[in-house]
Amino acid sequence: MGIAPDGWAVIHTDEGFGQQVTRGSCEPDGTLRGACFDDMLEVPGVCFIAEDLAVAAVAHWIESGEALPRAGFSYDLY
């Protein structure tokens, strides 16, 4: 997870090591935010979603092992 004052970015890695990331409702604007996932990673600002939705996405993953569809997970990191 990447946590910023205005949202959270959640990255989900599936069994085949494919990675999906949440995507908010705004259009991509080229903004990148630094997040530390073992190494520094630049995460597009559009990947940050509301905290309550991110918490629901993590809870869903803990319960089911799957990405929460309404969190807007996508394989496209822009």
Side-chain angles (χ1 to χ4, degrees):
M1 279 186 278
I3 301 174
D6 61 339
W8 295 18
V10 180
I11 297 175
H12 175 266
T13 304
D14 63 25
E15 292 178 4
F17 297 101
Q19 291 189 321
Q20 301 177 68
V21 65
T22 51
R23 209 172 344 174
S25 59
C26 63
E27 291 295 318
D29 63 3
T31 301
L32 297 174
R33 296 180 177 185
C36 189
F37 296 99
D38 292 331
D39 291 320
M40 266 318 252
L41 175 68
E42 290 185 326
V43 179
V46 70
C47 296
F48 287 77
I49 59 174
E51 177 182 345
D52 60 338
L53 182 55
V55 169
V58 172
H60 181 77
W61 176 79
I62 289 170
E63 291 172 7
S64 71
E66 298 179 0
L68 180 67
R70 67 184 173 97
F73 280 96
S74 172
Y75 289 102
D76 183 6
L77 292 176
Y78 294 95

